[in-house]
């Protein structure tokens, strides 16, 4: 480690003959370095060491970040060594206050030999320190703290390095993101030694980020996907061959017939609310599956059905499903387009409109199945107040308590997704439900194993379930 | 063809996000993620026209037949027409003199307060739903009541005043039994959604075709 020559060695030098003017300048510079007079607008003084920093004893390496889309480079260095080098640079030499004191001494003793050199260096140091502080005040990046280094970058064509981040010297790694694939970049790490003198690692060779073939960090997700897909397809094939697949009783789905029957007996309508998200949401798709079953029942019994929608795409799909159900039941004349209609795209305006329908038309049964947010309680409480039988279902954990407290039957999470299999008893769909259960068993086993291994001090297993 | 083509389109479209998730190539990201999202927005814009037509049809029908609540339908149709006119011809945002264009004025001083009114009704609905849920009818309801009371008291200064343990018990209930139950539901729901997606991807379940 090279010792900063402007440190204690400076104090030991004998002052030169030319003294007063240079000494005064040095004193002024030292005061600037101390921050007393420096400002954000202070111009960088001559003699800045940014172009010729002192070497910092650490090796910086740059490489393409693996498994990304070619927009980042990864810098690595020996964190412990760099931190030690930085501490040494601070420790062996003086701190900025000592440098300031040295400059003052040099100025005061300016009649002796060597004072000119000392004063020059003091001026230089002070100017650097002032420049750093001014830049930190004016710029977006905060000044590096103790034990931190600046990461500096120069793109192809840049004449100078620019600071992009401050990181702990001991970190050992930094990922520079948001880069252009067509440009090469050079990097260096800089720190401040005694008196604010700039220290820097040698610049890295120019390198451009590359596009990688595969996101290897997502291999675990792919493995889970393949495993679950294999389970689902395998059990579907088994069901197709006639294998028996058991599905437990879901009271919310059993109650659908009861609700439709009640509405038929009372001669009132059924209100079906398919959530507030479009058809790209699996819960909406599951809800549309149940709507088909409900529409078949209403077609069979001649019960009035109304499906108010918040999303026009869902409305279009729901209208087709209801129409198809009426046709399959042999009552195409019973279907009217206004049975499935659009209200508005706004959440609370939709809730107000549906509440209005409930209060005015007093449906005998309300179905609230799909993705819901804050309107869940507004809708279900109004339905409760009019005495309708209510069947709800959502996978939104935050809304489930509201449905449980305000509805007669509530399908919790996965029960909503199992509805189409439960209602249709189609072996293909039942097979997929069984596949889902195999995956659930695997996850439970992994949780138990993870708890046991972590308790025993084996930490690696848990890492498989995070980004690799 | 009428069935096969939509199913094929659905299968390909549903595989796109999976490919985009695993492959980092920029063209994959551009086509499998961004473009697909843009197309969905465009298709949804067309569907919005369907929605407006539906609103007009249904409410016009109610007004003509003088069905129950036809006055509300009339108010809705008038509002739709007036706001459309304001939006199309009256400009939006602030005028140069700082006053608001009619569309923005109505939105800010009529629509937003109405939204807030609906949202604030939740407080009353929560009270009535809690009253019903916390009635002591059986063992489960009693446990719910005890848990709810502990959490409610534990989260206000009164809990600390009663006993320092009360806030800790409330925190424990939230952190352990509550979180465990929520995670159980979330894991089940996520698997259910994944299985549902696989069914859609392989064409077993196709509600988008009007077939449940």
């Amino acid at each position: 480690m090279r010792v900063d020559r402007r440190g204690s060695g400076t104090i030991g030098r004998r002052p030169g003959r030319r003294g007063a003017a240079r000494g005064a300048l040095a004193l002024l510079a030292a005061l600037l370095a101390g921050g007393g007079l420096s400002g954000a607008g202070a111009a960088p003084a001559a003699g800045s060491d940014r172009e010729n920093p002192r070497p910092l004893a650490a090796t910086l390496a740059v490489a393409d970040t693996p498994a990304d889309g070619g927009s980042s480079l990864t810098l690595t260095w020996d964190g412990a060594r760099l931190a030690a080098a930085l501490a040494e640079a601070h420790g062996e030499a003086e701190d900025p206050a000592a440098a300031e004191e040295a400059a003052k001494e040099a100025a005061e003793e300016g009649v002796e030999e060597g004072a000119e050199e000392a004063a020059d260096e003091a001026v230089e140091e002070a100017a650097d320190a002032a420049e750093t502080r001014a830049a930190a005040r004016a710029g977006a990046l905060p000044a590096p703290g103790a034990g931190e280094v600046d990461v500096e970058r120069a793109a192809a064509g840049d004449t100078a390095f620019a600071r992009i981040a401050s990181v702990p010297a001991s970190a050992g790694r930094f990922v520079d993101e948001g880069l252009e694939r067509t440009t090469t970049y050079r990097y260096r790490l800089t720190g401040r030694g005694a008196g604010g003198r700039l220290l820097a690692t040698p610049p890295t060779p120019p390198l451009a980020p590359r596009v990688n073939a595969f996101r290897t960090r997502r291999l675990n997700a792919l493995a889970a996907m393949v495993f679950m897909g294999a389970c689902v397809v395998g059990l579907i094939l088994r069901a197709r061959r006639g294998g028996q697949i058991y599905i437990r009783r879901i009271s919310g789905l059993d109650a659908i017939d009861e609700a439709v029957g009640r509405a038929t007996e009372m001669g009132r309508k059924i209100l079906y609310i398919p959530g507030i998200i479009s058809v790209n949401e699996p819960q909406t798709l599951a809800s549309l599956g149940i709507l088909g079953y409900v529409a078949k029942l209403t077609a069979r019994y001649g019960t009035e059905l109304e499906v108010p929608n918040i999303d026009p795409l869902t409305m279009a799909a729901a209208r087709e499903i209801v129409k198809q159900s009426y046709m399959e039941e042999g009552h195409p004349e019973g279907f009217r387009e206004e049975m499935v209609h659009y209200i508005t795209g706004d959440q609370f305006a939709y809730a107000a409109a549906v509440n209005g329908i409930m209060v005015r038309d007093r449906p005998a049964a309300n179905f609230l199945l799909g993705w819901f947010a804050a309107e869940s309680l507004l809708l279900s409480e109004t339905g409760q107040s009019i005495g309708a039988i209510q069947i709800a279902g959502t996978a939104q954990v935050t809304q489930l308590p509201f449905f449980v407290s305000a509805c007669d039957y509530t399908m919790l999470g996965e029960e909503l997704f199992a509805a189409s299999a439960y209602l249709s008893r189609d072996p293909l769909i039942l097979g997929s439900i069984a596949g889902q259960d195999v995956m659930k068993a695997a996850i439970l086993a992994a949780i138990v194993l993870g708890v046991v291994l972590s308790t025993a001090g084996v930490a690696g297993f848990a890492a498989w379930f995070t980004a690799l | 063809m009428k069935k096969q083509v939509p199913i094929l389109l659905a299968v390909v479209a549903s595989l796109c996000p999976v490919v985009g998730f695993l492959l980092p190539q920029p063209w994959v990201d551009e086509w499998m993620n961004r473009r697909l999202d843009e197309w969905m927005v465009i298709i949804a814009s067309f569907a919005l026209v369907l929605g407006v037509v539906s609103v007009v049809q249904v409410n016009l029908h109610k007004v003509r037949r003088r069905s129950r609540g036809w006055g509300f339908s009339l108010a809705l149709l008038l509002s739709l027409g007036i706001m459309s006119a304001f939006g199309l011809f009256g400009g939006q945002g602030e005028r140069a003199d700082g006053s608001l264009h009619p569309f923005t004025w109505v939105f800010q001083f009529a629509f937003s307060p109405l939204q807030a009114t609906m949202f604030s009704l939740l407080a009353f609905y929560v009270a009535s739903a809690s009253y019903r849920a916390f009635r002591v009818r059986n063992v489960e309801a009693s446990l719910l009541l005890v848990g709810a009371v502990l959490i409610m008291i534990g989260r206000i200064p009164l809990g600390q005043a009663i006993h320092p343990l009360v806030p800790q018990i409330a925190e424990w209930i939230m952190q352990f039994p509550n979180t465990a139950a929520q995670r159980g539901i979330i894991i089940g729901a996520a698997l259910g959604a994944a299985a549902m997606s696989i069914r859609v991807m392989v064409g077993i379940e196709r509600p988008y075709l009007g077939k449940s």
Side-chain angles (χ1 to χ4, degrees):
Chain A
M1 176 69 201
R2 180 175 174 171
V3 177
D4 194 319
R5 66 184 174 84
R6 300 161 304 155
S8 51
T10 306
I11 297 171
R13 283 183 188 161
R14 293 180 63 201
R17 283 175 290 141
R18 279 184 287 172
R22 304 292 304 199
L25 193 57
L27 180 61
L28 178 62
L31 285 171
L32 281 170
L37 299 175
S38 64
S48 164
D49 59 357
R50 286 198 61 78
E51 287 78 28
N52 297 301
R54 305 283 170 90
L56 191 54
T59 307
L60 176 66
V62 62
D64 176 56
T65 305
D68 78 338
S71 60
S72 69
L73 292 170
T74 301
L75 307 177
T76 50
W77 63 92
D78 185 339
R81 190 176 171 202
L82 182 64
L86 208 60
E88 193 182 349
H90 275 284
E92 289 188 5
E94 293 175 350
D95 59 16
E100 186 178 328
E101 189 59 34
K104 280 179 188 172
E105 280 180 27
E108 284 162 4
E109 297 170 9
V111 289
E112 292 191 36
E113 191 180 343
E116 186 179 348
E117 266 182 55
D120 281 342
E121 288 191 6
V123 167
E124 197 178 321
E125 288 166 9
D128 275 348
E131 184 186 355
T132 306
R133 287 175 191 173
R137 280 194 206 104
L141 292 169
E148 285 192 335
V149 285
D150 285 342
V151 180
E152 295 190 350
R153 181 180 69 199
D158 288 351
T159 51
F161 281 90
R163 179 183 173 201
I164 54 170
S166 287
V167 293
S170 58
R173 188 172 183 271
F174 175 76
V175 179
D176 187 17
E177 291 175 331
L179 303 177
E180 296 289 332
R181 288 190 307 282
T182 50
T183 309
T184 57
Y185 298 90
R186 289 176 302 138
Y187 293 89
R188 70 178 186 183
L189 299 177
T190 61
R192 291 280 163 184
R197 182 71 184 183
L198 191 71
L199 309 170
T201 59
T204 59
L207 185 70
R210 279 189 301 115
V211 179
N212 295 281
F214 188 79
R215 289 188 207 276
T216 46
R217 289 167 62 83
R218 294 180 178 172
L219 265 176
N220 49 6
L222 177 65
M225 232 185 294
V226 170
F227 178 69
M228 182 160 180
C231 290
V232 168
V233 172
L235 283 154
I236 285 174
L237 292 175
R238 187 183 155 200
R240 192 176 261 175
R241 285 196 299 269
Q244 288 297 310
I245 290 173
Y246 168 78
I247 185 164
R248 72 176 164 84
R249 200 169 160 268
I250 300 173
S251 55
L253 293 172
D254 288 340
I256 290 177
D257 290 17
E258 178 195 338
V260 176
R262 182 172 183 261
T264 309
E265 284 172 6
M266 294 173 78
R268 291 203 207 147
K269 69 163 66 170
I270 288 169
L271 195 62
Y272 192 101
I273 302 158
I276 63 161
I277 295 278
S278 192
V279 282
N280 58 339
E281 167 60 43
Q283 293 183 56
T284 308
L285 288 175
S287 177
L288 291 177
I290 302 171
L291 173 62
Y293 181 78
V294 173
K296 278 181 186 166
L297 291 179
T298 58
R300 196 178 302 158
Y301 301 131
T303 315
E304 195 182 344
L305 173 67
E306 183 168 1
V307 188
N309 285 277
I310 195 171
D311 177 71
L313 281 176
T314 311
M315 180 200 76
R319 192 174 272 177
E320 281 303 306
I321 283 175
V322 173
K323 189 178 178 182
Q324 180 78 18
S325 299
Y326 273 73
M327 286 171 71
E328 284 178 12
E329 284 297 311
H331 297 288
E333 75 288 350
F335 173 76
R336 287 169 290 109
E337 287 210 332
E338 59 265 30
M339 287 164 67
V340 184
H341 61 94
Y342 178 72
I343 288 186
T344 172
D346 183 80
Q347 178 189 11
F348 291 113
Y350 176 76
V354 175
N355 281 355
I357 293 170
M358 285 187 196
V359 173
R360 281 193 299 277
D361 299 344
R362 306 186 81 77
N366 290 338
F367 290 89
L368 300 113
L369 302 164
W371 197 102
F372 288 91
E375 72 292 335
S376 65
L377 190 62
L378 295 174
L379 299 171
S380 54
E381 270 297 288
T382 308
Q384 169 78 26
S385 70
I386 61 166
I389 182 170
Q390 299 202 103
I391 298 173
T394 186
Q396 296 306 110
V397 176
T398 48
Q399 306 308 319
L400 279 172
F402 298 138
F403 280 151
V404 168
S405 61
C407 298
D408 300 281
Y409 299 94
T410 304
M411 286 175 245
L412 306 174
E414 61 182 330
E415 292 179 342
L416 177 66
F417 297 112
S420 57
Y422 189 88
L423 295 172
S424 68
R425 298 283 162 179
D426 181 347
L428 293 183
I429 306 179
L430 281 174
S432 73
I433 302 291
Q436 170 189 330
D437 282 350
V438 171
M439 188 70 186
K440 203 189 298 175
I443 288 176
L444 275 174
I447 289 172
V448 173
L449 190 61
V451 168
V452 171
L453 289 177
S454 294
T455 309
V458 182
F461 183 73
W464 294 358
F465 297 90
T466 59
L468 294 174
Chain B
M1 281 295 281
K2 197 179 167 186
K3 278 188 179 174
Q4 277 86 341
V5 172
I7 291 173
L8 186 68
L9 278 174
V11 170
V12 172
S14 60
L15 283 173
C16 285
V18 178
V19 174
F21 179 76
L22 295 169
L23 301 185
Q25 278 80 10
W27 69 268
V28 172
D29 185 49
E30 175 68 25
W31 282 95
M32 308 283 173
N33 296 328
R34 287 184 213 166
R35 290 281 173 100
L36 218 58
D37 285 349
E38 284 172 11
W39 291 353
M40 182 152 174
V41 172
I42 293 167
I43 292 167
S45 309
F46 281 109
L48 193 60
V49 178
L50 273 181
V52 173
V53 169
S54 166
V55 167
V56 173
Q57 273 181 347
V58 168
N59 289 285
L60 211 54
H61 187 69
K62 278 188 180 173
V63 173
R64 276 188 191 147
R65 291 182 58 188
R66 298 286 193 275
S67 307
R68 191 190 302 175
W70 68 272
F72 298 115
S73 294
L74 185 63
L76 189 148
L77 289 171
L78 285 173
S79 305
L80 179 67
I82 291 168
M83 282 302 275
S84 301
F86 282 163
L88 289 170
F89 310 112
Q92 289 184 32
E94 277 189 15
R95 292 195 185 96
D97 62 359
S99 63
L100 297 173
H101 284 289
F103 183 89
T104 311
W105 191 91
V106 175
F107 196 91
Q108 201 166 316
F109 296 109
F111 189 70
S112 293
L114 286 171
Q115 274 186 319
T117 306
M118 281 305 294
F119 191 49
S120 58
L121 281 177
L122 263 179
F124 302 100
Y125 284 131
V126 166
S128 64
S130 305
Y131 172 73
R132 215 173 27 257
F134 296 157
R135 272 181 302 183
V136 182
R137 291 165 298 185
N138 48 38
V139 178
E140 288 87 353
S142 309
L143 282 174
L144 188 68
L145 174 66
V146 171
V149 167
L150 278 172
I151 286 170
M152 284 189 284
I153 293 179
R155 300 231 154 175
I156 54 174
L158 179 65
Q160 181 72 30
I162 292 170
H163 196 280
L165 266 181
V166 175
Q168 290 176 30
I169 292 170
E171 198 53 37
W172 182 86
I173 291 172
M174 289 304 290
Q175 275 195 5
F176 295 97
N178 181 55
T179 306
Q182 281 202 12
R183 285 186 185 163
I185 293 172
I186 289 169
I187 289 172
L191 289 174
M196 173 96 201
S197 304
I198 289 173
R199 291 202 294 271
V200 172
M201 281 163 76
V202 298
I204 294 174
E205 199 162 333
R206 34 186 192 275
Y208 51 86
L209 283 182
K211 185 169 173 59
S212 59

